[in-house]
């Protein structure tokens, strides 16, 4: 389908040069993702220690896992309309504050019920920060490198998970389980004033405003956009209901397939994220050892950014990402079925993270690439929100299988099927429509 003509403002944004401004935005958004990744994993790595501290069996913590995933779903579904209609920066500041405070208070939880309530609010903040940081990065990325830059930003999430596991290996043995949550709360709260000062709003939102500050006007000029009424003409901003747009002409098939991909992908991600530390603990590792071993899953995901984003930008997700999901089936099956020495097990955990979490990172980048700016936060936010239904099912499935007495590693066998479904759905993206861009009038800057 022929591409409609863009306004000069949109043309400048879609073809912007990558310089210091773009790198600063991507770096700050990556820091948000690091905090997100740390706090998602914090509950999983503390459960082996909490089972002893509170004298509870591992499956009892299914409750805390469930409310964490429900909170992430609520935050992600709410973030889309807020980010697309109000702005990306306010969404990020509020989200960081919510999950920073909730994580800090988790260190003082005295019961499973209180921990579960606080995990809901932690998850709600995380759910808002994920799509907000990704879409703001996409707004400061040219079309030709959008998937690569978004995926580079999302590398912060597995890096945060890796740091969580490594730090927990020290903190659990030295200061106990509350210290893991203290770190997860203090760091995001310290970042709030940093983002308030150094993180700019989306250039499209700035161009649509009147009475810009000198600093904001100078920022638009750096992007070859002259502030004023001309810049506001033809902006790709949401004018109607962003959720309805997801099923508009040219986007319905992509939306449905992305929701299937995200459901299966996040099902696997949270099954491993929540239950792997406890499974390794049941296999004989101490809580610190289980936390460190689990962290190599996130380390593997970081390596995926070295190639997967570029492959998606060049050949499309239906090829690169589909093969990546399919490769994950092999490594998941090895962990579930084969008894291995420690070093080989860690290597399989590393490769499962590279293919499964790495693929999820690639799926996030795919959303940022396939959806235009006017619905980008809603597209990613709702994909993450629907995917969180898988994140809700994952802890329940793992806890149920463990309560039945299933051999601990075998609870991961179901993940093979979900990875295969994700691969097939990703391949079917090749049949999506190529919608026209929003029609605009070319304006002189």
């Amino acid at each position: 389908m022929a591409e409609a003509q863009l306004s000069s403002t949109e043309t400048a944004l879609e073809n912007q040069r990558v310089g210091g401004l773009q790198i600063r935005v991507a770096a700050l958004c990556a820091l948000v993702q690091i905090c997100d990744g740390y706090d998602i994993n914090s509950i999983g790595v503390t459960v082996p220690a909490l089972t002893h501290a509170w004298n509870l069996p591992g499956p009892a913590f299914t409750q805390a896992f469930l409310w964490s995933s429900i909170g992430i779903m609520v935050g992600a579904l709410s973030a889309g309309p807020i980010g697309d209609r109000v702005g990306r920066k306010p969404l990020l500041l509020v989200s960081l504050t919510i999950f920073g405070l909730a994580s800090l208070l988790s260190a003082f939880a005295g019961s499973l019920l209180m921990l579960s309530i606080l995990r809901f609010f932690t998850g709600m903040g995380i759910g808002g920060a994920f799509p907000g940081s990704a879409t703001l990065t996409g707004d400061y990325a040219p079309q030709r490198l959008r998937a690569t830059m978004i995926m580079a930003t999302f590398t912060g999430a597995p890096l945060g998970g890796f740091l969580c596991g490594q730090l927990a290996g020290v903190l659990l043995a030295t200061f106990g389980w509350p210290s893991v949550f203290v770190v997860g709360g203090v760091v995001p709260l310290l970042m709030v004033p940093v983002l308030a000062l150094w993180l700019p709003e989306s250039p499209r939102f700035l161009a649509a405003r009147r009475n810009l500050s000198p600093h904001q006007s100078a920022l638009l000029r750096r992007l070859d956009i002259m502030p004023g009424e001309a810049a506001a003409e033809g902006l790709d901003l949401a004018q109607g209901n962003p959720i309805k747009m997801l099923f508009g002409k040219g986007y319905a098939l992509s939306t449905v397939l992305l929701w299937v991909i995200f459901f299966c992908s996040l099902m696997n991600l949270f099954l491993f994220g929540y239950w792997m530390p406890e499974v390794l603990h049941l296999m004989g590792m101490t809580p610190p050892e289980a936390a460190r071993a689990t962290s190599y899953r996130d380390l593997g995901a970081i390596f995926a950014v070295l190639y997967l984003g570029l492959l998606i930008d060049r050949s499309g997700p239906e090829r690169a990402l589909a093969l990546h999901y399919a490769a994950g089936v092999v490594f998941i099956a090895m962990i579930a079925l084969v008894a291995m020495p420690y070093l080989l097990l860690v290597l399989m955990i590393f490769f499962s993270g590279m293919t499964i979490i790495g693929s999820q990172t690639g799926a996030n980048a795919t959303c940022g690439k396939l959806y235009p700016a006017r619905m980008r936060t809603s597209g990613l936010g709702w994909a993450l929100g629907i995917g969180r239904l898988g994140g809700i099912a994952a802890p329940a499935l793992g806890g149920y299988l463990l309560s039945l007495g299933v051999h601990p590693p075998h609870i991961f066998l179901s993940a093979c099927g979900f990875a295969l479904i994700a691969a097939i759905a990703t391949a079917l993206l090749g049949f999506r429509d190529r919608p026209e861009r929003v029609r605009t009038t070319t304006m002189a800057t």
Side-chain angles (χ1 to χ4, degrees):
M1 189 178 291
E3 187 176 280
Q5 192 176 38
L6 297 176
S7 70
S8 58
T9 298
E10 283 295 329
T11 299
L13 292 174
E14 291 297 279
N15 297 281
Q16 60 188 285
R17 297 180 297 274
V18 177
L21 173 61
Q22 289 76 12
I23 293 172
R24 170 167 41 110
V25 171
L28 289 173
C29 289
L31 288 175
V32 174
Q33 295 287 346
I34 289 173
C35 294
D36 275 13
Y38 182 100
D39 278 330
I40 284 177
N41 284 272
S42 61
I43 182 64
V45 299
T46 54
V47 162
L50 283 167
T51 58
H52 298 288
W54 290 353
N55 196 28
L56 291 172
F61 288 89
T62 300
Q63 175 182 323
F65 294 158
L66 279 172
W67 281 107
S68 182
S69 289
I70 291 172
I72 294 174
M73 181 181 70
V74 171
L77 294 177
S78 303
I82 293 172
D84 282 333
R85 297 303 297 269
V86 178
R88 322 313 196 195
K89 185 174 179 178
L91 172 64
L92 284 175
L93 294 178
V94 172
S95 298
L96 271 174
T97 302
I98 290 174
F99 80 74
L101 287 173
S103 180
L104 185 59
L105 291 173
S106 297
F108 304 96
S111 67
L112 181 56
L113 175 61
M114 181 56 65
L115 181 64
S116 300
I117 293 171
L118 290 169
R119 287 305 301 178
F120 169 81
F121 286 103
T122 305
M124 191 167 67
I126 291 170
F130 260 120
S133 56
T135 51
L136 187 55
T137 300
D139 289 343
Y140 280 93
Q143 170 65 20
R144 68 185 183 279
L145 292 174
R146 185 160 291 139
T148 300
M149 290 185 66
I150 292 176
M151 192 166 178
T153 298
F154 264 103
T155 302
L159 178 57
F162 175 71
L163 292 174
C164 181
Q166 292 296 309
L167 282 173
V170 177
L171 294 173
L172 290 172
T174 308
F175 301 105
W177 65 267
S179 60
V180 177
F181 293 117
V182 170
V183 174
V186 170
V187 175
L189 292 176
L190 290 176
M191 279 190 59
V192 171
V194 174
L195 295 185
L197 289 172
W198 294 99
L199 186 68
E201 179 54 278
S202 166
R204 289 180 176 86
F205 282 86
L206 294 179
R209 290 178 185 171
R210 301 295 183 265
N211 302 318
L212 294 175
S213 69
H215 175 74
Q216 291 170 334
S217 296
L219 185 145
L220 289 180
R221 290 190 182 95
R222 289 179 65 178
L223 296 170
D224 296 325
I225 299 170
M226 292 300 295
E229 293 185 7
E233 293 292 333
L235 286 171
D236 194 11
L237 292 173
Q239 301 298 325
N241 184 348
I243 310 306
K244 185 178 179 180
M245 294 179 194
L246 299 179
F247 293 93
K249 186 177 180 181
Y251 295 103
L253 179 60
S254 294
T255 295
V256 171
L257 289 174
L258 284 167
W259 286 7
V260 172
I261 294 164
F262 272 66
F263 177 89
C264 295
S265 187
L266 289 172
M267 179 83 173
N268 285 350
L269 191 152
F270 282 94
L271 184 65
F272 278 90
Y274 286 146
W275 286 116
M276 183 169 281
E278 179 62 10
V279 166
L280 296 178
H281 180 49
L282 292 172
M283 292 169 61
M285 294 186 190
T286 65
E289 288 172 342
R292 280 192 292 267
T294 300
S295 71
Y296 290 101
R297 174 185 61 108
D298 298 285
L299 181 64
I302 297 170
F303 279 79
V305 76
L306 299 177
Y307 59 90
L308 189 54
L310 287 172
L311 289 176
I312 292 172
D313 274 326
R314 292 179 179 178
S315 63
E318 57 271 16
R319 296 178 183 176
L321 196 54
L323 290 173
H324 216 250
Y325 273 118
V329 175
V330 177
F331 301 113
I332 295 171
M334 290 288 290
I335 294 171
L337 296 175
V338 181
M340 294 172 280
Y342 178 80
L343 289 179
L344 185 56
L345 175 61
V346 165
L347 187 63
M348 290 299 104
I349 291 172
F350 174 90
F351 283 117
S352 70
M354 187 172 73
T355 49
I356 297 303
I357 305 180
S359 294
Q360 175 58 45
T361 307
N364 297 332
T366 297
C367 266
K369 190 173 181 68
L370 296 187
Y371 288 119
R374 63 186 178 276
M375 63 177 83
R376 193 168 290 145
T377 310
S378 295
L380 179 55
W382 272 70
L384 287 167
I386 297 299
R388 285 312 189 264
L389 294 173
I392 292 169
L397 175 62
Y400 174 71
L401 293 174
L402 286 176
S403 68
L404 291 179
V406 173
H407 185 50
H410 289 176
I411 72 170
F412 298 132
L413 276 177
S414 59
C416 294
F418 288 111
L420 186 58
I421 293 171
I424 294 170
T426 307
L428 291 175
L429 282 173
F431 295 98
R432 70 187 186 278
D433 292 333
R434 269 45 174 194
E436 290 185 4
R437 291 182 181 271
V438 61
R439 287 193 175 275
T440 56
T441 304
T442 302
M443 302 292 297
T445 51

